[in-house]
Amino acid sequence: MGLTDYLVIGLFIFIALIILVPVLLFIYLYIKDDNQQQHSILRNFPVLGKVRYFTEHIGPELRQYLFNADNEGKPFSRKEYQDVVKAGKYKERLIGFGSLKDFEAEGFYIRNTLFPKLTNEMKVDNAEKIKTRVYKIDGEGLFTRKEHSEEKLADPYYLKDDDAVVLGEYTCRYPFRVKGQVGQSAMSYGALGEKAIQAMSKGLGLAGGTWMNSGEGGLSDHHLAGNPDIMMQIGPDLFGVRKPNGEFSWEEFKKKSEMPQVKAFEIKLAQGAKTRGGHVEGEKVTEEIAAIRLVEVGKTINSPNRFYEFSDVPSMFDWIEELRSVGGKPVGIKIVVGDMDALENMISYMKDSGKGPDFITVDGGEGGTGATYQELADTVGLPINSALPVVDEMLRQYGIRDRVKLIASGKLITPDKIAIALAMGADLVNIARGMMISVGCIMAQVCHSNTCPAGVATTDKKLQDGLVVEEKMYRVANYIISLREGLYNLAAAAGIDSPTQFERKHIVHKDELGRVSPVEDLIIAARRAQLQKERKVN
C-alpha cells in the first residue's frame, strides 16, 4: 500500500472512532442507568436523567455567576461580595450611575443632616500611615485583565485616643483599648487552614487598631503570626485551656493570659448558626491541632453544647470573676438572643450582684459557621437587627449599660451595615465571612467538607497552595481600613464627628409601604407584643 492508502485507512479509523466512541459510551451509560435501582429518574430516563443531576450539581455556580442579579444570592449577593473584594484588592468603593439597592423593600436608613461635618472637623487619628499594597488595573480585555500591585501609604482611620473603646475599663488590671470599631469574629485554626489564618493575622496586625478572635479551637501560632491583638475564645470543650481529662486548667489559662498579644477572653455560650456542640473527625486531629487544643491525636471530638463549669447565671458570673481575677484581662460572653426572659434574668442579676461580663458579643441568627445543621442555621436565634436593640435597651433599663460593651456580629460586612449596628447599640462589630472573602473565599459553601477550592476553609495542603499569605494579607488590611473610612464618611453625613457617636436617633426604619419609624418605636412595639403574649399565657 502506498502513503495515500495509509492516509485513507487512518482517516476511516479516525472517523469511526469519533462516531463509535460516543455511541458505545451512550449504550454503556444507558444500560448502566437502566439497571441501577437507586435513582428513579435515571431508571425511567437513562442517560438523559444525568443532565438533571449535572445541572443540579453546577446550579450554585451558574446562579452565582450567570443568573442571579447583582442584589440576589445568599448568604451574600454578588454586589456585597464584590464590595468586599474591591475594598480589599483595590481599596476602592466608588460607584457610578447610582445605587443598585432595592429602595422599595423595607430596611434601615441613616438619617443625614442638612449640614454634614467637614473632613477637617472629624475626630480621626491619621497621624501614623500604613504601608500597604493595592492593585491598579492597566487594561481589560474580553478574557483578560492586566493589573499590577503597588505600594501605597494609607490613612488608618483610627479613633482618637479619647474615643477609643475600652473593654474592662473599671474591672481589670489590663483593660483592652481599641482604636478601631471593626475586628475579626471567631474563626478557629482547623476550621480555616493555616494560610488563611496567617493572612488574616498579618493583615489585621498591619491595619492595627483591631483584634482577631481565635475561635474556640484554641490559640495557634498561626493566629500570632502577624502579632495582632488577640481575643481568645473559650468554648465548652475548653480547647487550649484544658487538662488531659477535659477539666478546665487554671495553669493553661494563666499561661494564655500572660501572653502580651492576648488582650481579652470570650466565653462562647452560643453562636448564631451553631447553637450546639462542635464535632471534629479524628482524622483531622493532627499532632499540631492536638497540641493547640490539648486533646489526643487522632481521636474524634464531640464538644458539649454547654459548659460543665457552670449551669446558671450566678455560677457563670462567679466563674467570670475568677477568670478576670486570675488573668487580669477583660472577660466577655458570646450569646444568641432568643429567650427574652432568660436574658432579662441575667441582666437583672448583673444589676443586683454587681458582677458580670465586661462585654457581650451578640451574634445574630444569620451568623455563619463552617458546619452546622440546616434547621439550626435557618431558625434558631433572632437576627442581629432585632436582637441588638433588645439587649441594649435592657441594659439601659437596668442602669448598667455603662458597665458592659456590646459587640455585634451577623453579616455586617459593609460600612453602612456596621453603622446601623453601632446606632442600634453596638460599641464594636465582628466580621467573619467578610474576612474570608478578603483572603479569597468564593462562597463555594463547602466549608464543612475540607474541599474549599480557594484554600481558605480547608487544611488540605494542595488546596492551600493557591492562597499566598504575603499577597492576601494586604487585602485584609485594606478591607479593614476601608470599613473604618466608610464609617467616618457616614458619621460625617449624619452630622457627628466620630462613628462612636452613632445613636438610635441617627437611623430610621422604612417599611414596604414607605412608612418611617424610629428605632424606639420598634422596641416599644416588640415590648408591647411580648407583654400581650405574657398576659395570654397567664
Side-chain angles (χ1 to χ4, degrees), residues 63-74 76-83 86 99-101 443:
R63 285 190 290 276
Q64 183 177 353
Y65 293 114
L66 294 177
F67 300 121
N68 275 343
D70 287 335
N71 282 326
E72 294 177 341
K74 299 290 183 183
F76 298 100
S77 68
R78 189 207 315 267
K79 179 184 175 300
E80 290 172 319
Y81 174 82
Q82 289 179 338
D83 284 346
K86 288 178 181 176
S99 172
L100 298 176
K101 180 175 179 175
M443 300 196 300

Side-chain angles (χ1 to χ4, degrees), residues 261-280:
Q261 298 97 332
V262 175
K263 303 295 184 183
F265 293 91
E266 181 184 71
I267 300 168
K268 196 192 87 167
L269 302 184
Q271 180 181 339
K274 195 176 77 170
T275 49
R276 67 177 182 90
H279 173 86
V280 183

Side-chain angles (χ1 to χ4, degrees), residues 39 49-63:
H39 302 289
K50 275 193 161 49
V51 176
R52 181 242 188 198
Y53 292 109
F54 175 71
T55 52
E56 184 179 68
H57 182 71
I58 65 170
E61 285 79 6
L62 292 176
R63 285 190 290 276

Side-chain angles (χ1 to χ4, degrees), residues 20-33 46-47:
L20 282 176
V21 168
V23 170
L24 291 174
L25 181 62
F26 181 87
I27 293 171
Y28 167 75
L29 291 175
Y30 187 95
I31 295 171
K32 183 182 177 185
D33 290 346
V47 183

Side-chain angles (χ1 to χ4, degrees), residues 356-374:
D358 295 301
F359 62 92
I360 299 175
T361 302
V362 182
D363 198 18
E366 67 273 62
T369 179
T372 189
Y373 296 107
Q374 189 74 53

Side-chain angles (χ1 to χ4, degrees), residues 75-144:
F76 298 100
S77 68
R78 189 207 315 267
K79 179 184 175 300
E80 290 172 319
Y81 174 82
Q82 289 179 338
D83 284 346
V84 176
V85 173
K86 288 178 181 176
K89 189 173 180 181
Y90 304 104
K91 203 175 173 302
E92 178 62 71
R93 298 189 325 285
L94 288 174
I95 64 169
F97 208 61
S99 172
L100 298 176
K101 180 175 179 175
D102 179 6
F103 290 96
E104 302 301 319
E106 66 173 334
F108 290 94
Y109 289 83
I110 293 170
R111 297 173 62 180
N112 64 296
T113 182
L114 286 176
F115 304 101
K117 291 287 183 183
L118 296 171
T119 301
N120 60 6
E121 295 174 325
M122 301 302 292
K123 289 182 65 180
V124 57
D125 180 0
N126 281 328
E128 187 176 343
K129 308 298 181 188
I130 294 174
K131 186 185 289 187
T132 184
R133 297 190 71 86
V134 298
Y135 277 88
K136 296 290 183 186
I137 297 177
D138 302 315
E140 286 189 280
L142 189 58
F143 299 104
T144 59

Side-chain angles (χ1 to χ4, degrees), residues 242-299:
R242 71 203 301 269
K243 298 177 183 176
N245 64 1
E247 294 178 359
F248 184 75
S249 168
W250 287 102
E251 183 183 354
E252 290 295 340
F253 174 75
K254 197 164 184 301
K255 283 183 188 174
K256 300 298 189 301
S257 63
E258 288 172 349
M259 296 174 70
Q261 298 97 332
V262 175
K263 303 295 184 183
F265 293 91
E266 181 184 71
I267 300 168
K268 196 192 87 167
L269 302 184
Q271 180 181 339
K274 195 176 77 170
T275 49
R276 67 177 182 90
H279 173 86
V280 183
E281 286 293 333
E283 63 186 23
K284 293 185 70 175
V285 186
T286 61
E287 285 192 15
E288 183 187 21
I289 290 194
I292 293 166
R293 300 194 178 200
L294 302 178
V295 296
E296 289 184 40
V297 178
K299 186 175 180 180

